Amino acid sequence: MRADRVRGHLDGLLMAVLEQGPLHGYAIITAVQQRSGGVLDLRTGTIYPALNKLERLGLLTSSWESVGERRRRSYRLTDAGRRSLAEERTAWREFTVAIGSVLNPGAEPRSAT
């Protein structure tokens, strides 16, 4: 899938995969890829700036872990991040209903709630 189709939704995707617990960068990329059935293949150059931004906004926290000889940063969703994710999901439902109503004008419009 083209990267421009993910633009605007990346923060929500990252927060969604962190909802169930902390993950490091590569595990986040893998989780998005698996959940999307391989359609979304995010690059490290895409996710790390987004993760840093979400951390600056207080939506994520991070900590360093040692795994053998290696150190890696693990990210965790904050309470503010959980609230933001809920808002992202509501906005996504409203968006998909509106787009669906335009692309499928004969279909019965569904409520966004």
Side-chain angles (χ1 to χ4, degrees):
M1 180 171 283
R2 294 189 331 240
D4 63 332
R5 291 190 177 174
V6 175
R7 193 171 300 133
H9 305 289
L10 181 59
D11 293 353
L13 295 172
L14 297 176
M15 289 188 293
V17 298
L18 290 169
E19 185 175 30
Q20 295 186 323
L23 295 171
H24 58 85
Y26 182 73
I28 293 168
I29 291 170
T30 301
V32 170
Q33 189 174 33
Q34 288 176 341
R35 285 192 189 187
S36 70
V39 173
L40 300 176
D41 186 18
L42 303 177
R43 303 285 180 220
T44 58
T46 301
I47 71 151
Y48 286 110
L51 290 169
N52 291 332
K53 178 189 78 171
L54 292 170
E55 188 170 16
R56 280 191 314 273
L57 293 172
L59 304 177
L60 301 180
T61 60
S62 68
S63 59
W64 286 100
E65 302 176 339
S66 292
V67 179
E69 296 284 320
R70 299 185 63 192
R71 291 187 62 195
R72 62 186 182 194
R73 187 174 289 257
S74 182
Y75 298 87
R76 177 187 309 270
L77 200 58
T78 64
D79 289 340
R82 290 183 190 289
R83 289 188 299 273
S84 181
L85 177 57
E87 292 168 5
E88 289 276 343
R89 285 184 168 135
T90 298
W92 174 253
R93 282 191 297 274
E94 292 170 353
F95 177 76
T96 57
V97 167
I99 296 298
S101 296
V102 173
L103 292 177
N104 298 309
E108 184 71 27
R110 295 188 342 232
S111 170
T113 56

